[in-house]
Amino acid sequence: LMERVSRRHKLRVLLHEKPFAGINGSGKHNNWSMGTDTGKNLLSPGKTPKNNLLFLTFFVNVIKAVNENADLLRASIASANNDHRLGANEAPPAIISVFIGSYMTDALNEIEKRVAKDKYDELSNANLKLDIHNKIPDVMLDNTDRNRTSPFAFTGNKFEFRAVGSSANCSQSMTVMNAIVGKQLLDFKAEVDKLIKDGETKEGAIMRILRQYYTSSKNVLFEGDGYSEAWEKEAKKRGLSNVKTTPYALDFYTTKKAKDVLVKTGIYTERELDARVDILHHTYSLKIDTEARILADLITNQIVPSAIEYLNKLITNVKGLKEIGVAPGAAKAQKETATEIANHINALKDAVDKMLVALESTHKGKTTADHSKAYCDKVKPYFDVIRKHADALETVVDDSVWPLPKYREMLFIR
């Protein structure tokens, strides 16, 4: 629809997650909640302690599901485009964490502190229900205190999964989200039923399991700046994954935990899941292969020839100054620019040649996963090297000679 509307106005929509280095990327905010068949939002805080227990039950189970399956969520948003965006310039990091805000943190801390690990006494905990209820005010329904750096945030009566790429189809991440929460709720019911069977009351069993889940899932909760290096270090201490490239993120689909969620529950057969992962690896390889070949063509047939053309103009200028007897020092700037251009041309030629050799070696692996990892590890690193030298040439080669729109022209930098 966006593409059709843009064409109607003689414009084009660019859905690439990170088309410009140093400029904010673009992603989707997938708003996710659960509802009953009568339209009740299960993630909407209630107006009574009883309704808030219902809300807390689903709320905590979502946190538990994300904590247990963060790697699977990371795999669901993996793409070559999104790799450029995650963790750079106002985009969520590749680390999956959950922001719940101060209100909910206080409420859950009350449960952790005041619900005993042993049998639950409803009478002695009556005040706890009221205290928790008072800590979930109506303002949560319109909660604008949002941490924009969080990839997965609670925003009042729903969660937002913000790490999905702008060109992505939301179905994969939503399939995973629904699957992990669905399985988690089944596990929750089984644990509650066991406590009830052992003599615990229903409310007591729920509160004790919620306390246990919150305590075990606190590592995934983060309220600070998700863009900071400090968070990367802290996340590592907590044992949270920070997989920055698609081929390695896709490996999470092949784990036993992923198959327990997606295969044992009947969402996919094992063959269907393997086929989808195979296609995702192949798609990544095709994209990097295409980009590499186009990059090599641009450098070889446009960038380098234009740089040589301008270099020849400088050489002619230096020779002309010498012929009319101008002092050698007067041509210092031209000579330094000529040397700079020549060095960048040589560096580009060397990097492109090495990249093309690396391209030929990518198919030596036995599987599509081997191929995509070879593209990621052996081919893609040359992109930044080539870009560095091409960008440097763009700043010194005359606009009239340069064959492409310059970066400052595309971004209207004056």
Side-chain angles (χ1 to χ4, degrees), residues 56-77:
L56 284 169
T57 296
F58 288 95
F59 181 79
V60 173
N61 271 280
V62 172
I63 295 171
K64 172 75 168 173
V66 173
N67 181 60
E68 293 293 322
N69 300 279
D71 291 341
L72 194 51
L73 281 174
R74 171 65 183 94
S76 76
I77 57 169

Side-chain angles (χ1 to χ4, degrees), residues 102-151:
S102 58
Y103 289 117
M104 293 310 305
T105 299
D106 288 346
L108 295 181
N109 283 339
E110 285 292 322
I111 292 175
E112 183 180 38
K113 183 169 64 176
R114 295 166 63 180
V115 173
K117 294 180 182 179
D118 301 322
K119 193 165 183 178
Y120 180 84
D121 186 336
E122 288 191 29
L123 186 62
S124 64
N125 283 287
N127 288 335
L128 171 62
K129 286 197 294 180
L130 287 172
D131 289 345
I132 291 172
H133 175 64
N134 291 332
K135 286 180 180 294
I136 307 175
D138 290 340
V139 72
M140 293 298 293
L141 293 171
D142 185 24
N143 178 22
T144 54
D145 180 22
R146 306 176 187 185
N147 185 331
R148 310 306 294 181
T149 73
S150 175

Side-chain angles (χ1 to χ4, degrees), residues 244-392:
K244 297 184 178 182
T245 55
T246 289
Y248 294 94
L250 293 178
D251 283 345
F252 293 134
Y253 275 128
T254 63
T255 62
K256 180 183 181 300
K257 184 180 285 188
K259 291 184 177 180
D260 285 346
V261 171
L262 296 172
V263 176
K264 284 190 176 180
T265 54
I267 295 170
Y268 297 129
T269 66
E270 189 161 349
R271 186 179 180 188
E272 285 173 333
L273 181 60
D274 289 344
R276 280 163 170 76
V277 175
D278 210 45
I279 289 167
L280 290 169
H281 277 295
H282 185 57
T283 300
Y284 179 89
S285 297
L286 287 177
K287 189 162 189 65
I288 301 302
D289 186 90
T290 301
E291 288 182 358
R293 294 183 189 281
I294 290 173
L295 184 59
D297 180 74
L298 280 172
I299 297 300
T300 303
N301 295 310
Q302 297 192 54
I303 303 302
V304 168
S306 66
I308 291 174
E309 181 182 344
Y310 187 60
L311 178 61
N312 287 335
K313 288 184 177 182
L314 290 174
I315 293 170
T316 301
N317 179 264
V318 172
K319 285 181 178 178
L321 291 173
K322 184 178 180 181
E323 287 174 4
I324 63 174
V326 174
K332 181 183 177 184
Q334 292 91 318
K335 288 179 180 178
E336 289 179 352
T337 302
T339 300
E340 181 184 354
I341 290 173
N343 288 338
H344 287 307
I345 290 172
N346 288 328
L348 280 174
K349 177 72 166 59
D350 181 61
V352 168
D353 287 346
K354 287 178 179 178
M355 181 181 70
L356 292 175
V357 170
L359 268 179
E360 297 305 314
S361 69
T362 54
H363 296 289
K364 292 181 179 179
K366 295 181 180 179
T367 66
T368 53
D370 292 336
H371 298 161
S372 69
K373 287 171 183 174
Y375 274 104
C376 180
D377 297 336
K378 296 178 180 179
V379 177
K380 192 166 174 281
Y382 285 109
F383 291 5
D384 288 337
V385 176
I386 292 169
R387 166 92 189 240
K388 174 186 172 183
H389 293 289
D391 282 355

